[in-house]
Each structure stands twice: as structure tokens, then as C-alpha cells.
């Protein structure tokens, strides 16, 4: 018998494959095995979404994300002020580099946060971990607003700044992967792009709120007062905002996909089933079993984040430090650009639901590759119209990525390891390519003297993005891997069951 068992199956990367002779000898047995491995889809397997619950979940995730990125964006828009307040006097470039280096420090610890919070979210649930990240971000941001300056305590000031920037980065490591997973698992399959776009609407709203507040304070108080104490106000606002975000997130139930996974009611493919029988959140298994998707995720997110942080974080500094615009002027142009993107981002999500994620993502990547140089040439000409046109060209390319990425990325991984895998891949890429973007561009401009370096850097990133999008699988209007179909009505669920039912045999 042992000899027959060994001869009956052979092993591949996808699991044991039955020997054809054994199948002929025991047809009934192998039919039973196939039914067990690939059970027939039942109506009870399909999730019929509650429209009101979906909207509450999307609102809580998006508003919480807005508050997180408001906290994070404040630092980027106060980079020049932070350099003067926390670092010893010297050249303006040296202070700015020090400020951006501290900005980048938060990104170095983000993969650690992803490795901690991601598997935790796969084990104890999405909601609890998202609440915890909100608390930590609010504490870190508020604490920066209370720090003494370099003039008061010397080197302890930048040291404490780095400490709380690390706390910010650690908490952010669990934010995007969790929030995008949360919305993706709540949304019906055919509208995941539309609902997912609200997450990045929240990101833009957070950045817009941060930029607007910094602009208003700088215009109202002036540079000297901002350096003295005005810079503290945006950081201290994070406290009450964090309480609001925490309240919204704690009122929700966990996602239907996670709850079904916990209850063991999900029928999945062999690959996903093999993952689900292991300990959820096992980082070693994530790296071993999903390394191909992790590599693709890192490439895709790297291209996206370079372009994202170049426009939303670095451009005001580029306008003020390289082209000598006033800080208020540069921020105001960015605010107007982001408002335009907010008005159209949900329509981009709808388009990705209809035509697919890949065509929309490819449009954004090609747009950055083709339009970055002309856009920066326009910006360098100066004048409100030319600068606004250049920013808008970059913004329209970026919105193709913003409106699609939050639906495309969660679909790359199965439910049982989605939070952990996405958090690891996203934050590893963001650490290497996203948060370092302002620092790298500033250093490249200093080394080469070319004010076109941001355009060249964005073009290189976009080229990587084109290759990554070409390699990814289309997931629009399809169930998430490891989860049953998610639909909007009972009629749609019944139609899916009927469509997948085997044809009668006579």
C-alpha cells in the first residue's frame, strides 16, 4: 500500500498531482477528492453587501486615512521651518537636507511597522489594528508640537524629533495596508475601484488640509512668528483629530471577508487553502510563498510613491528653494492642484471598475514618463499659468494611480495574508523609494546643478512602473483571492450560483 500511495501521486509546486493510472483504477475516489478540493459554490458562500455598512466602512477608513496623512503631511510642508528650528544654523541647503533626512527617517522604520501590524491585522482583525495605528500617529505628531527647539536644548532637540518621527513612521506602517484591505474586503467586487478611490480621496484631503493650514498660518503669522511658535499649531491639532478618527474606526464591525475566514466558511483555491491552514501572519511563509507578488508590489508601489511624494510633498519646497517662490505661493498652487484631483478621483475609480485596473494604471505611468519633462519646463518658466499647467499635468497622471492603486494592491494577495503581505510590500517599497524622494532629489540637484532632476527621477520611476503594470494580473470585477464573491443584491448572488452550477448530465 505505501508503494501504491507513492506511485499514485507526484509533487509539484502547486501540490500533489494524481497519477493517471491511479485515477483510472479509483475514479470515484478521485472524484470525491476533487469535490472536496473544489467544492461547488453555494449561495451561503456569497457575500451580499449592505450598502449602508459599506458606506460607513469607507467613510471611517477614508476619514481615518485623511487624519493620518494630515499628520504626516504637516512635516513635509513645514520642512524649511523645521530645518531652521531643529538644526544648527548653516547653509539653507544643509538645513533643508537635515530636515528631509529626518523626514526620510520615518520611512526607514515603516517596514518594521508593516511587519508588526500587518500580521497582527491578519490574526486579530483589521479594525483593532487600524485603531491602534491611529492612536500612535496622534501621539507622535502631538509630541513633535511640544518639543523644545535647538536654541533651547541643543542636540536633544533633533534627537527627540527623530524619536517621534520614528513613532510616526512605525504607526504609518500599519495604516495603508490595513485601510486599503478594509475597504477592499467590504466593497462589492464590481465596485471595488470606486469605493477604493475614497481611500486616496482621504489621502488628498489630509494633504490638502495640512497644506491649507500651513499656508494660512504662514500668510497670517509671517516667517519669523512661524519659526518662533507658529509651527507648533499644525502638530498640536493632531490630538483632537486622532480622537475623532479613533471613534469612527471603533464603531465598525470587522470586514465580512475576515469574519468568514475566521469562521472557516470560505471555500478557496488549493493555493489559498494551503496558506489558510498555516498560522496566519507568519512572516516567513509570506516571504516564502508570496515572494513573486511581493516583488511586483514593491516595483509597482515604488514607481507610484516616487511620483506621489515628488508632487504632493516635494513640489512646494522645489518652488520655494530652487525657483525662489514664496512658501505661501508654492503651497497655494499645490492646494488648488489637489482640489482638482479630489474632484475627479472617484470617477477614475469608476473607470477602473469598467475598463480594468491595468489600462488606468498604465495611463498614469506612461503619462509620467512622457509629461514629466514638459511639465517641469513649464514650471521653470514661472508665472501662475505656466506653473499651474505644469502641476496639473503631473497631477492628472498621478490621479490615474491614486484612483486605482487602493483597489489593485489588496487583490494581489489572498485574504488570510492580505494585510500582512500588503503592509510588508507597500512599506518596504515606500521606505526605499517614497520617503527618500525629497532627500534624493534635493541631493541630485545639489550635485548636478540641474533643476530638471525631479523630472528625470520621475521618468525613471515611471519606466519601472510600466514594466510592473505589464506583469500584473487584471483583477477588476473579480472576487478577492481567498474570499467568496461579494455582490450587491440577492439576485446577483443567485445569478452567480446558477452560472457556476455544473451542467446536468443525461
Amino acid at each position: 500500500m505505501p508503494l501504491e500511495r507513492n506511485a499514485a501521486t507526484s509533487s509539484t509546486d502547486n501540490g500533489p498531482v494524481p497519477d493517471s493510472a491511479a485515477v483510472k483504477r479509483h475514479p470515484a475516489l478521485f472524484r470525491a477528492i476533487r469535490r472536496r478540493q473544489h467544492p461547488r459554490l453555494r449561495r451561503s458562500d456569497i457575500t451580499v453587501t449592505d450598502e449602508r455598512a459599506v458606506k460607513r466602512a469607507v467613510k471611517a477608513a477614508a476619514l481615518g486615512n485623511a487624519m493620518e496623512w494630515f499628520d504626516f503631511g504637516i512635516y513635509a510642508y513645514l520642512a524649511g521651518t523645521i530645518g531652521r528650528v531643529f538644526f544648527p544654523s548653516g547653509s539653507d541647503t544643509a538645513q533643508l537636507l537635515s530636515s528631509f533626512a529626518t523626514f526620510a527617517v520615518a520611512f526607514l522604520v515603516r517596514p518594521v511597522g508593516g511587519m508588526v501590524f500587518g500580521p497582527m491585522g491578519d490574526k486579530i482583525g483589521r479594525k483593532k489594528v487600524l485603531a491602534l495605528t491611529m492612536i500612535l500617529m496622534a501621539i507622535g505628531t502631538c509630541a513633535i508640537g511640544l518639543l523644545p527647539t535647538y536654541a533651547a536644548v541643543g542636540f536633544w532637540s533633533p534627537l527627540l524629533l527623530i524619536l517621534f518621527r520614528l513613532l510616526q513612521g512605525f504607526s504609518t506602517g500599519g495604516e495603508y495596508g490595513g485601510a486599503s484591505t478594509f475597504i477592499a474586503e467590504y466593497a462589492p467586487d464590481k465596485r471595488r475601484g470606486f469605493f477604493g478611490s475614497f481611500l486616496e480621496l482621504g489621502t488628498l484631503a489630509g494633504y490638502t488640509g495640512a497644506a491649507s493650514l500651513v499656508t494660512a498660518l504662514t500668510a497670517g503669522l509671517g516667517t519669523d512668528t512661524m519659526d518662533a511658535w507658529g509651527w507648533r499649531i499644525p502638530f498640536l491639532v493632531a490630538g483632537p483629530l486622532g480622537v475623532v478618527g479613533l471613534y469612527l474606526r471603533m464603531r465598525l464591525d470587522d470586514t465580512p471577508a475576515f469574519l468568514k475566514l475566521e469562521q472557516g466558511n470560505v471555500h478557496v483555491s488549493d493555493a489559498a487553502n494551503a496558506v489558510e491552514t498555516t498560522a496566519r501572519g507568519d512572516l516567513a511563509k509570506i516571504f516564502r510563498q508570496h515572494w513573486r507578488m511581493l516583488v511586483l508590489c514593491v516595483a509597482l508601489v515604488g514607481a507610484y510613491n516616487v511620483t506621489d511624494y515628488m508632487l504632493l510633498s516635494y513640489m512646494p519646497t522645489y518652488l520655494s528653494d530652487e525657483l525662489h517662490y514664496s512658501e505661501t505661493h508654492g503651497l497655494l498652487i499645490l492646494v488648488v492642484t489637489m482640489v482638482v484631483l479630489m474632484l475627479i478621483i472617484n470617477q477614475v475609480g469608476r473607470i477602473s471598475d469598467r475598463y480594468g485596473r491595468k489600462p488606468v494604471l498604465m495611463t498614469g505611468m506612461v503619462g509620467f514618463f512622457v509629461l514629466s519633462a514638459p511639465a517641469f519646463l513649464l514650471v521653470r518658466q514661472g508665472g501662475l499659468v505656466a506653473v499651474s499647467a505644469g502641476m496639473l499635468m503631473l497631477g492628472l497622471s498621478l490621479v490615474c494611480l491614486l484612483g486605482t492603486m487602493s483597489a489593485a494592491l489588496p487583490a494581489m494577495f489572498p485574504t488570510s495574508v492580505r494585510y500582512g503581505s500588503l503592509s510588508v510590500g507597500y512599506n518596504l517599497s515606500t521606505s526605499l523609494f517614497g520617503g527618500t524622494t525629497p532627500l534624493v532629489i534635493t541631493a541630485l540637484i545639489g550635485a548636478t546643478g540641474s533643476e530638471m532632476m525631479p523630472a528625470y527621477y520621475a521618468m525613471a520611476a515611471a519606466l519601472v512602473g510600466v514594466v510592473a503594470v505589464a506583469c500584473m494580473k487584471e483583477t477588476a470585477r473579480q472576487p478577492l483571492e481567498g474570499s467568496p464573491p461579494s455582490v450587491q443584491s440577492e439576485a446577483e448572488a443567485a445569478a452567480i450560483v446558477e452560472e457556476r452550477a455544473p451542467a446536468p448530465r443525461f
Side-chain angles (χ1 to χ4, degrees):
M1 287 299 293
L3 181 62
E4 180 169 324
R5 281 200 301 271
N6 290 337
T9 61
S10 60
S11 180
T12 70
D13 290 341
N14 294 322
V17 176
D19 180 72
S20 57
V23 173
K24 290 180 180 179
R25 288 196 303 272
H26 308 287
L29 173 62
F30 281 97
R31 279 199 302 272
I33 292 173
R34 283 195 298 271
R35 283 196 298 271
R36 185 176 181 84
Q37 291 176 336
H38 306 283
R40 183 180 302 175
L41 184 69
R42 301 167 300 183
R43 166 61 195 86
S44 58
D45 296 330
I46 300 175
T47 301
V48 179
T49 60
D50 179 345
E51 183 81 6
R52 289 175 299 179
V54 173
K55 289 180 178 179
R56 284 198 305 271
V58 170
K59 181 172 69 175
L63 286 176
N65 198 55
M67 292 167 190
E68 286 256 1
W69 291 107
F70 171 86
D71 293 354
F72 214 73
I74 288 168
Y75 189 96
Y77 300 135
L78 285 172
T81 304
I82 294 295
R84 293 189 293 271
V85 170
F86 283 94
F87 296 97
S89 59
S91 71
D92 292 341
T93 301
Q95 286 185 330
L96 188 62
L97 281 171
S98 298
S99 179
F100 277 140
T102 311
F103 180 78
V105 158
F107 287 83
L108 297 179
V109 79
R110 278 182 64 164
V112 179
M115 291 179 187
V116 172
F117 292 122
M120 191 187 299
D122 286 326
K123 185 175 183 180
I124 68 174
R126 287 57 165 130
K127 181 183 80 169
K128 295 175 183 176
V129 176
L130 284 172
L132 179 58
T133 62
M134 176 65 68
I135 293 170
L136 293 177
M137 175 60 86
I139 291 173
T141 309
C142 236
I144 291 175
L146 298 172
L147 289 179
T149 65
Y150 184 86
V153 296
F155 80 95
W156 286 105
S157 180
L159 192 63
L160 290 170
L161 176 64
I162 290 171
L163 174 66
F164 289 113
R165 283 292 294 164
L166 289 172
L167 180 59
Q168 280 188 318
F170 183 70
S171 70
T172 308
E175 173 61 25
Y176 184 89
S180 59
T181 293
F182 198 80
I183 291 180
E185 291 181 351
Y186 253 108
D189 296 333
K190 292 183 179 179
R191 301 185 70 194
R192 191 175 302 119
F194 171 69
F195 285 118
S197 66
F198 280 92
L199 183 66
E200 295 295 358
L201 178 64
T203 300
L204 288 171
Y207 274 126
T208 302
S212 300
L213 181 56
V214 171
T215 301
L217 288 172
T218 304
L221 299 178
T223 302
D224 291 340
T225 306
M226 283 295 291
D227 288 358
W229 57 267
W231 64 270
R232 297 182 185 275
I233 297 174
F235 289 104
L236 295 176
V237 168
L241 287 181
V243 173
V244 173
L246 180 62
Y247 170 75
L248 289 171
R249 288 185 170 178
M250 290 305 295
R251 290 181 64 230
L252 295 171
D253 293 326
D254 224 314
T255 68
F258 177 79
L259 294 175
K260 283 200 173 188
L261 182 67
E262 270 200 322
Q263 296 162 5
N265 291 332
V266 183
H267 300 292
V268 294
S269 66
D270 284 344
N273 193 45
V275 174
E276 287 182 25
T277 58
T278 65
R280 289 197 300 266
D282 187 336
L283 280 173
K285 288 183 172 61
I286 288 175
F287 281 104
R288 186 167 61 248
Q289 298 182 7
H290 302 281
W291 66 269
R292 291 181 180 85
M293 285 295 102
L294 281 175
V295 170
L296 184 59
C297 180
V298 167
L300 196 60
V301 173
Y304 157 59
N305 268 311
V306 165
T307 54
D308 184 19
Y309 284 98
M310 182 196 70
L311 180 61
L312 301 185
S313 296
Y314 175 72
M315 281 302 292
T317 303
Y318 178 79
L319 291 173
S320 61
D321 280 54
E322 305 299 335
L323 303 183
H324 310 295
Y325 282 81
S326 70
E327 292 181 359
T328 304
H329 191 184
L331 280 171
L332 193 58
I333 295 174
L334 179 62
V335 167
V336 173
T337 303
M338 289 193 292
V339 169
V340 172
L341 302 189
M342 290 169 66
L343 293 174
I344 62 176
I345 190 170
N346 295 136
Q347 299 309 313
V348 174
R350 287 183 192 273
I351 291 170
S352 79
D353 282 331
R354 183 171 181 180
Y355 297 105
R357 316 288 184 231
K358 292 184 66 171
V360 181
L361 288 173
M362 188 64 78
T363 300
M365 296 298 183
V366 172
F368 266 110
F369 185 75
V370 173
L371 298 177
S372 288
F376 272 89
L377 288 172
L378 275 174
V379 169
R380 288 183 60 197
Q381 283 185 9
L384 180 61
V385 174
V387 173
S388 299
M391 296 275 279
L392 194 58
M393 288 168 65
L394 296 172
L396 291 176
S397 299
L398 179 62
V399 79
C400 294
L401 310 182
L402 289 173
T404 312
M405 203 67 75
S406 52
L409 293 176
M412 296 174 71
F413 302 100
T415 301
S416 56
V417 294
R418 180 169 297 121
Y419 197 154
S421 300
L422 181 52
S423 294
V424 170
Y426 185 90
N427 288 294
L428 182 62
S429 184
T430 303
S431 174
L432 293 173
F433 307 110
T436 58
T437 294
L439 178 64
V440 170
I441 292 176
T442 302
L444 287 174
I445 292 174
T448 64
S450 172
E451 294 176 350
M452 289 294 292
M453 287 310 300
Y456 302 147
Y457 196 57
M459 291 168 67
L463 193 58
V464 173
V466 167
V467 176
V469 173
C471 293
M472 69 180 286
K473 183 173 65 175
E474 181 59 73
T475 56
R477 304 172 69 85
Q478 298 175 17
L480 293 168
E481 185 181 351
S483 293
S486 179
V487 299
Q488 293 179 270
S489 67
E490 291 285 349
E492 193 177 347
I496 290 176
V497 172
E498 184 177 353
E499 179 186 336
R500 298 194 184 183
R505 296 165 61 181
F506 298 99

